[in-house]
Amino acid sequence: MKLNWILLCVLIHLLTACATTPTGRSQLVFMPDDKLNSMGLQAFADLKKEKPISQDVKENTFVRCVANAITHEVGGNWEVIVFEDKTLNAFALPGSKIGVHTGLIDLVDNQHQLAAVIGHEIGHVLARHSNERMSQKLGAQMGISLIAAVAAPQTPLGQTAVSLLGVGAQYGVIMPFSRLHESEADLIGLELMAKAGFNPAESVTLWQKMAQASQGEQPAEFLSTHPSHETRIDDLRENLPKSTKLMQQAQAAGKKPNCIK
Ligand SMILES: [Zn+2]
């Protein structure tokens, strides 16, 4: 009788900790999502206090136009902020927050390329990658103390917390997403941008430009993890026929974003 009870507990535990990502991959996540959301909100509030925010109307209009078209496919109320920062970076946090650096806006040629990056970042959030890596790297108890620590990003534990969220660069720490997470975010992003009516083929050009720019010294979330830009670009190309169809359907349904850089 006692053994049955233990088995039941184990089963319940496994059920609550196992989830499936939008691409159908099984993952281990045991942090409560509302806790991840509050960590994201806290980290974003800190960033807004510490980093200069762009007041440039044209830049802000461009970024919001692209972000809104994509988040429309996802639902929810997303806050979008353009940070004055010359590094090639963008991020999305649990709690529906998006940050885009001015350096990235300078790099992209058009709305489609920015959509590729924003779609990728939202892909990390939809697939609960922050939750997964916190669950992998830390015990449940440690996870709970991280929630408080994110409010004090100057402390060592606070730095771990923000870097696990994927925004540690401004505190001198960065914990890049794994190859697996990057590939998954690419595929989710490609589908999202296409469903919003953007041209998925431009994602290839975008990552080629990023690869070129990474010869320099600027750090970026997407550059630090990638042993092979070729693999990433091959994977995107392989998925282009499917996502191009999605774009055609979206455009036939009247989704024709026109965001001017
Ligand atoms: Zn990424």
Side-chain angles (χ1 to χ4, degrees):
M1 195 60 196
K2 198 177 173 201
L3 186 66
N4 282 349
W5 179 243
I6 292 168
L7 281 175
L8 183 67
C9 284
V10 169
L11 187 66
I12 288 171
H13 180 74
L14 286 177
L15 285 174
T16 50
C18 265
T20 309
T21 68
T23 63
R25 179 176 64 84
S26 294
Q27 64 179 172
L28 178 78
V29 282
F30 59 64
M31 295 275 288
D33 281 322
D34 63 326
K35 299 288 185 250
L36 256 295
N37 290 348
S38 34
M39 288 178 77
L41 296 180
Q42 179 69 56
F44 202 69
D46 289 347
L47 287 169
K48 285 205 291 186
K49 261 184 255 156
E50 286 170 23
K51 286 173 78 76
I53 293 170
S54 164
Q55 305 296 336
D56 185 295
V57 175
K58 206 170 167 222
E59 248 170 14
N60 274 278
T61 309
F62 174 55
V63 172
R64 292 219 165 91
C65 176
V66 173
N68 290 347
I70 292 180
T71 55
H72 182 76
E73 300 304 311
V74 176
N77 278 322
W78 291 73
E79 186 185 5
V80 185
I81 296 285
V82 179
F83 291 102
E84 288 282 0
D85 186 324
K86 286 293 159 198
T87 58
L88 305 173
N89 210 4
F91 55 88
L93 292 174
S96 305
K97 303 293 178 188
I98 295 169
V100 176
H101 288 189
T102 46
L104 183 71
I105 303 170
D106 293 340
L107 178 87
V108 300
D109 297 316
N110 53 47
Q111 59 172 357
H112 310 286
Q113 292 175 11
L114 185 62
V117 177
I118 293 179
H120 170 98
E121 296 306 325
I122 292 175
H124 280 306
V125 174
L126 294 185
R128 300 159 84 198
H129 288 164
S130 301
N131 195 337
E132 188 175 10
R133 66 181 179 177
M134 284 186 197
S135 305
Q136 282 168 344
K137 290 199 195 295
L138 307 158
Q141 210 48 47
M142 183 74 173
I144 298 305
S145 51
L146 278 183
I147 293 161
V150 77
Q154 287 77 15
T155 64
L157 193 59
Q159 291 190 349
T160 306
V162 291
S163 73
L164 283 167
L165 281 172
V167 288
Q170 35 290 319
Y171 305 109
V173 284
I174 182 128
M175 198 170 285
F177 284 108
S178 67
R179 272 299 286 291
L180 177 69
H181 283 177
E182 287 301 319
S183 304
E184 191 166 60
D186 276 352
L187 292 186
I188 298 170
L190 199 63
E191 189 174 317
L192 280 179
M193 74 180 288
K195 280 184 172 169
F198 294 105
N199 181 5
E202 289 277 351
S203 68
V204 173
T205 320
L206 181 271
W207 294 116
Q208 280 166 341
K209 286 174 72 100
M210 291 289 259
Q212 237 170 6
S214 73
Q215 312 297 332
E217 281 169 22
Q218 294 183 317
E221 183 254 309
F222 349 87
L223 301 177
S224 41
T225 34
H226 291 282
S228 165
H229 293 287
E230 291 79 18
T231 309
R232 151 173 261 164
I233 287 167
D234 287 349
D235 287 349
L236 287 170
R237 281 215 175 100
E238 200 179 304
N239 283 278
L240 278 187
K242 189 179 140 207
S243 48
T244 303
K245 252 181 225 146
L246 288 174
M247 173 196 68
Q248 286 159 351
Q249 285 166 6
Q251 293 192 342
K255 292 178 193 171
K256 292 174 183 167
N258 184 25
C259 312
I260 312 292
K261 185 189 162 180

